[in-house]
Amino acid sequence: MSTAILMVITGANAWTLNDGSKYPTGYWASEFIHPHQVFTDAGLDITIATPGGVEPTVDAVSLSPAMNGDDQASIDTQRAYLATFGDTLASPAVLEKVDPADFDAVYVCGGHGPMEDLGDNAAIGKVVTTLLDDPDKIVSALCHGVAALLPARAEDGSWPFSGRKLTSLTNEEETAVGLADKAPWLLETRLREAGADFQAGPAFLPHVIVDGNLVTGQNPASAHLSAEAVVKILAGK
C-alpha cells in the first residue's frame, strides 16, 4: 500500500491588509515545486487540495528575477514544472471534502495566501488535528503555510500545538520584505501567543524544526529540507 500525502495549497489570490487594500499573492512557486519533487521522487501518492477546490494562483513575485537571484534559467525551470500539471492544478481536490484518515501526512505550502484563507479555516484545522493525534502520521507546513495550524482544536477546545517546537516565516523576515507594518496580524506573533515553542533561525536561511510528528520550515529556503524531513520520518515508520 502506497504512502499518501495531502499537499494543501492556498486558494487565495490576494491578502487583505490592515488598511483594507488587497495585496496580490497566492502560493510561492518553490514552496510547492521543491516539496512536490521530493515527494514524487520518494514515490508518495500525492493529492493536491485547496479551500473550495479552486485553482490556485502562483504568486508572481515568487517567479521574479529579484526572488531568484536573477537566474532566468531557474525561473524558466519552475514555470515549466508548473506547466506540466495542467488539469491537476486547475481542478484540485476540495479541502473541505477530504478525509484525513485517507492520508499518512499533510504538507501545507506557503506564500502569503495562507494568511488569507488557511489561518482561520476549520477544514484544515480538522485535518492537522486528526493527523497530529496519530503518532504514526505527520503534520508538516512551510513558511506562511504554518498559519494552517492556528485553527486546529482538540476536543476540549485547546490548541493541540501548544508547547510544540515549530517555526514559520519570522517577524524579522516579514519586516524585511516590507509587509510587517501592513499585515493585519503577524504569524510568528500569533503562534507564540497561541502557545507554540517558536524556534526562529537566521533570516532567509534554511531552518527546519522536527518535533515528533510535526515538521515545520521557516521560509522558501527551507522547502527542500522540510520535505526531505517528512520523507525520512515516513520511511522510518
Side-chain angles (χ1 to χ4, degrees):
M1 185 176 178
S2 61
T3 301
I5 187 165
L6 178 67
M7 291 191 74
V8 178
I9 307 177
T10 176
N13 57 19
W15 181 24
T16 306
L17 301 180
N18 55 21
D19 63 358
S21 64
K22 301 289 187 178
Y23 177 77
T25 186
Y27 68 91
W28 202 259
S30 65
E31 293 188 24
F32 165 72
I33 293 171
H34 293 165
H36 190 274
Q37 289 173 326
V38 170
F39 299 148
T40 300
D41 290 345
L44 303 188
D45 180 6
I46 304 169
T47 296
I48 298 170
T50 66
V54 302
E55 181 176 359
T57 299
V58 63
D59 190 325
V61 175
S62 70
L63 292 171
S64 67
M67 291 296 172
N68 291 275
D70 291 318
D71 185 347
Q72 188 59 46
S74 174
I75 296 171
D76 292 343
T77 298
Q78 292 177 75
R79 289 190 182 280
Y81 193 84
L82 293 176
T84 64
F85 283 88
D87 292 343
T88 303
L89 281 180
S91 301
V94 179
L95 177 61
E96 292 79 1
K97 294 182 178 179
V98 301
D99 184 350
D102 292 339
F103 299 95
D104 300 288
V106 59
Y107 187 97
V108 186
C109 305
H112 278 102
M115 301 289 282
E116 184 77 13
D117 68 352
L118 292 177
D120 60 355
N121 187 300
I124 190 60
K126 176 184 176 182
V127 171
V128 298
T129 300
T130 301
L131 269 63
L132 189 71
D133 281 345
D134 187 335
D136 290 327
K137 297 192 174 186
I138 300 171
V139 172
S140 51
L142 177 66
C143 199
H144 288 99
V146 182
L149 307 187
L150 290 169
R153 288 294 178 271
E155 288 186 6
D156 63 1
S158 64
W159 192 52
F161 295 95
S162 182
R164 299 295 291 266
K165 295 180 175 64
L166 54 77
T167 192
S168 75
L169 193 86
T170 64
N171 292 351
E172 177 187 3
E173 290 167 317
E174 198 74 88
T175 300
V177 298
L179 289 170
D181 61 340
K182 302 178 178 68
W185 51 277
L186 295 173
L187 183 53
E188 176 187 341
T189 298
R190 187 157 289 187
L191 290 166
R192 288 183 183 278
E193 290 174 348
D197 182 358
F198 194 91
Q199 310 270 312
F204 305 114
L205 293 180
H207 182 62
V208 175
I209 297 293
V210 178
D211 182 0
N213 65 339
L214 174 62
V215 178
T216 50
Q218 182 168 315
N219 46 37
S222 310
H224 197 276
L225 288 177
S226 61
E228 286 187 329
V230 172
V231 169
K232 181 178 180 180
I233 297 171
L234 287 171
K237 293 188 181 297

